[in-house]
Amino acid sequence: MPVYSMTGYASAQHTPGGNAEIATPAACLALELRSVNSRFLDVVLRLPDELRPHEPALRELIAKRLKRGKVELRVSVEAAAGAALPDVPVRTLQRLAAAQQQVRVWLPEAAPLSVADALRLAAGDSAASPALGEALLPLARQALDELVAARQREGARLLALLQERITALRALAAQAAPLVPQLVQAQRQRFLERWQEALGAAPASEAVTQAAQERALAEATAFAIRIDVAEELGRLAAHLDEIEAVLQKGGETGKRLDFLIQELHREANTLGSKSATLELTRISVDMKVLIEQMREQVQNLE
């Protein structure tokens, strides 16, 4: 199953005669769909007044296809190209002028009526509503198909970026794994040398030498336990395996991946806190950078 992004855009337009299924007599519909990331599905509809009765059907249509994201659907109604302008009676225009004058007495800042406003009010929206409503839903399905395809293309791009980061994280973990045993061995040798130097001025005896060696080994063991990152590297590898499995499965991946990214960040932080060399510190910082990049990408996945 593909991986979908929550970011996408689609538009659709219809003019009379372009499609018998959604033909309208003298008006064309322009529809835009935009979606960005969001924790849940948030649908915002911006419809002309004559199309507001179709809002529930549009919400249901979107909810069947999309699971997450802030989705904005904007619909506008325009006169069809070449359509004859309606004959507006003079008496109707007089009533509109009187109504406008009365409104501006109380609201002097109100914008004057445009020609399009006057034609729309004079023609009456109720007569056009049935035809526009029949055209709206098929057009919305068409735009929704395009939006889903756009989100799928963006999801494929994000999937490739995530795979690159996963490969880089595995490479960094492979670099970190052999550093700890080497560091423990070097630290053990330093402990032994320091104890031998400290006992150099004291009378030598087999018991003192044995005690010094045992103390050095105990200190080295405690140091090894303190800096051991094998458990963190193991959990990090397990989280990366799970992320790859989720991405391969596809579908609704965003919320689960967001949790796994938090766990990756936790392991990288622990790795940095246990770091006893500049090399391990560098690896930890590089891991955090990659994980933060993954977090930004995952937040766009459905």
Side-chain angles (χ1 to χ4, degrees):
M1 185 179 297
V3 173
Y4 294 93
S5 169
M6 286 187 285
T7 303
Y9 172 83
S11 64
Q13 294 181 346
H14 176 73
T15 55
N19 187 328
E21 180 186 0
I22 55 176
T24 59
C28 66
L29 291 176
L31 188 148
E32 285 187 337
L33 268 172
R34 304 173 186 267
S35 68
V36 295
N37 60 318
S38 177
R39 291 186 62 190
F40 308 101
L41 180 62
D42 181 12
V43 180
V44 178
L45 301 180
R46 305 189 186 280
L47 307 176
D49 291 339
E50 64 268 29
L51 296 178
R52 290 197 179 279
H54 302 280
E55 182 172 327
L58 288 171
R59 289 186 180 277
E60 182 180 359
L61 183 66
I62 293 173
K64 286 181 178 179
R65 300 292 303 277
L66 307 178
K67 302 303 178 184
R68 292 179 68 200
K70 182 175 182 179
V71 183
E72 179 181 346
L73 172 64
R74 185 184 296 270
V75 179
S76 59
V77 181
E78 302 172 358
L85 293 177
D87 293 329
V88 183
V90 175
R91 184 174 180 80
T92 301
L93 293 176
Q94 291 174 340
R95 287 202 303 268
L96 289 175
Q100 176 177 246
Q101 184 177 2
Q102 184 177 3
V103 168
R104 300 193 73 179
V105 168
W106 295 96
L107 300 173
E109 301 297 328
L113 287 172
S114 66
V115 174
D117 293 334
L119 290 174
R120 179 173 55 83
L121 292 171
D125 295 327
S126 59
S129 292
L132 291 175
E134 293 175 3
L136 178 60
L137 289 181
L139 194 66
R141 292 190 188 96
Q142 176 185 335
L144 195 54
D145 289 340
E146 295 181 6
L147 180 67
V148 171
R151 286 167 57 129
Q152 182 177 343
R153 290 192 298 270
E154 179 66 13
R157 188 185 71 84
L158 293 177
L159 175 60
L161 293 175
L162 288 171
Q163 290 288 4
E164 291 178 5
R165 270 66 179 178
I166 290 173
T167 301
L169 283 171
R170 291 191 187 278
L172 288 173
Q175 294 176 25
L179 292 178
V180 173
Q182 297 172 8
L183 182 61
V184 170
Q185 180 61 29
Q187 189 67 21
R188 177 178 179 275
Q189 186 62 33
R190 282 197 293 270
F191 281 144
L192 287 172
E193 291 173 357
R194 289 175 183 174
W195 277 103
Q196 289 172 359
E197 291 175 1
L199 295 173
S205 69
E206 184 177 349
V208 172
T209 303
Q210 182 67 23
Q213 186 174 5
E214 291 177 358
R215 179 64 183 273
L217 291 175
E219 292 287 346
T221 301
F223 176 77
I225 294 173
R226 188 167 65 252
I227 69 167
D228 183 28
V229 294
E231 186 176 352
E232 285 74 17
L233 292 177
R235 285 198 295 264
L236 188 141
H239 295 326
L240 292 177
D241 290 341
E242 181 64 18
I243 289 174
E244 287 189 314
V246 172
L247 290 173
Q248 185 175 4
K249 182 179 178 182
E252 299 174 42
T253 61
K255 291 183 179 180
R256 183 166 181 80
L257 288 177
D258 189 56
F259 169 76
L260 291 170
I261 293 297
Q262 293 179 27
E263 295 302 306
L264 280 181
H265 204 280
R266 191 194 314 276
E267 303 307 333
N269 274 335
T270 306
L271 183 67
S273 66
K274 289 186 174 184
S275 175
T277 64
L278 290 177
E279 183 65 15
L280 272 176
T281 300
R282 180 193 64 79
I283 289 174
S284 173
V285 171
D286 289 346
M287 282 184 172
K288 290 179 185 179
V289 171
L290 291 171
I291 293 169
E292 188 59 32
Q293 292 173 353
M294 292 177 69
R295 184 199 303 276
E296 293 175 0
Q297 293 152 5
V298 162
Q299 287 176 349
N300 285 322
L301 292 179
E302 188 174 53

